Amino acid sequence: MPVPSYGAMPLSKTFLLVRVLQVISMLIIIGLTSNFVSLIVSTGVEPPKEFVGTLSVACIATLYILVSIAFFWSEANLGLLVMAGVDSLLLIAFIVVAVTVGKPLSFLNCYVIGKASKAAEAASAYAFTMSVTENLNTMGSTLGLGNWAGATKSNCFQSKTIWGLSIALCILFTTSCVLLPTLWYKNKKANTAPKTVEA
């Protein structure tokens, strides 16, 4: 099945590449955040709101992206403008996700975790353990994302990966917001009948 050209085949193929990268990024985000939320919930603590929000936005966006690819392939001309509008809303959502997740993570240095002195590491582990026990089975617990991400090097790198992919999705949705109206315009221009010259 050939890729629909919409009057500009290179732009159409670029848009499909952007969509594929969006799906891959969101599937990785869903996998990491759901694993993180599962681990946190299994300890009896309410997960950080940043991860719950990220998981919700990524799931809704993935469903929309998979449906939008079918509309794109079926050459829904007016649908391109509708998709541009929804993409711009998702761009705003992922900007919010990137900012809220990045705020506590921007100060974490994953390479330092586990390399501190034994006394500093013991004090950090004690503070983390006390914070967890105070928040066990508590609705609206105050244990933040930075505490969980800073607990282990693995958690830190996973959290930073989620943050990085959120930033990448901001760039990808900006690209699709530019490409969709351009494809609509190119398709409209290509499908207009040439004017006949009357004698």
Side-chain angles (χ1 to χ4, degrees):
M1 183 176 210
V3 176
S5 70
Y6 288 100
M9 185 57 85
L11 294 178
S12 182
K13 288 183 177 179
T14 303
F15 174 75
L16 281 178
L17 175 66
V18 166
R19 278 297 196 239
V20 168
L21 291 174
Q22 287 170 339
V23 168
I24 291 170
S25 299
M26 284 187 280
L27 289 177
I28 293 171
I29 287 175
I30 290 170
L32 289 174
T33 51
S34 61
N35 181 44
F36 222 165
V37 168
S38 172
L39 289 173
I40 294 169
V41 169
S42 68
T43 62
V45 178
E46 188 176 332
K49 62 184 181 311
E50 295 92 349
F51 275 157
V52 174
T54 301
L55 186 59
S56 302
V57 169
C59 287
I60 292 168
T62 304
L63 177 64
Y64 157 72
I65 292 298
L66 293 175
V67 170
S68 73
I69 290 173
F71 278 104
F72 177 79
W73 219 280
S74 66
E75 298 188 36
N77 297 331
L78 192 57
L80 294 177
L81 293 179
V82 173
M83 285 190 284
V86 176
D87 277 25
S88 62
L89 293 175
L90 288 175
L91 170 63
I92 293 168
F94 276 105
I95 288 172
V96 171
V97 165
V99 169
T100 56
V101 170
K103 195 183 297 184
L105 296 180
S106 61
F107 299 105
L108 281 178
N109 185 354
C110 299
Y111 296 103
V112 174
I113 297 172
K115 291 188 177 180
S117 67
K118 295 290 181 188
E121 203 170 295
S124 175
Y126 177 75
F128 177 73
T129 305
M130 291 307 295
S131 180
V132 170
T133 55
E134 289 172 6
N135 289 288
L136 278 175
N137 298 318
T138 304
M139 288 301 288
S141 64
T142 57
L143 192 62
L145 173 62
N147 294 336
W148 283 105
T152 65
K153 192 177 280 193
S154 172
N155 287 358
C156 184
F157 280 119
Q158 287 180 26
S159 302
K160 292 237 179 182
T161 301
I162 293 168
W163 181 33
L165 288 173
S166 299
I167 295 170
L169 282 168
C170 292
I171 296 167
L172 290 171
F173 276 110
T174 301
T175 306
S176 65
C177 284
V178 170
L179 287 175
L180 284 166
T182 307
L183 284 173
W184 176 80
Y185 175 74
K186 291 281 192 182
N187 189 45
K188 184 179 176 186
K189 192 175 177 182
N191 288 336
T192 55
K195 294 181 180 178
T196 57
V197 178
E198 295 179 5

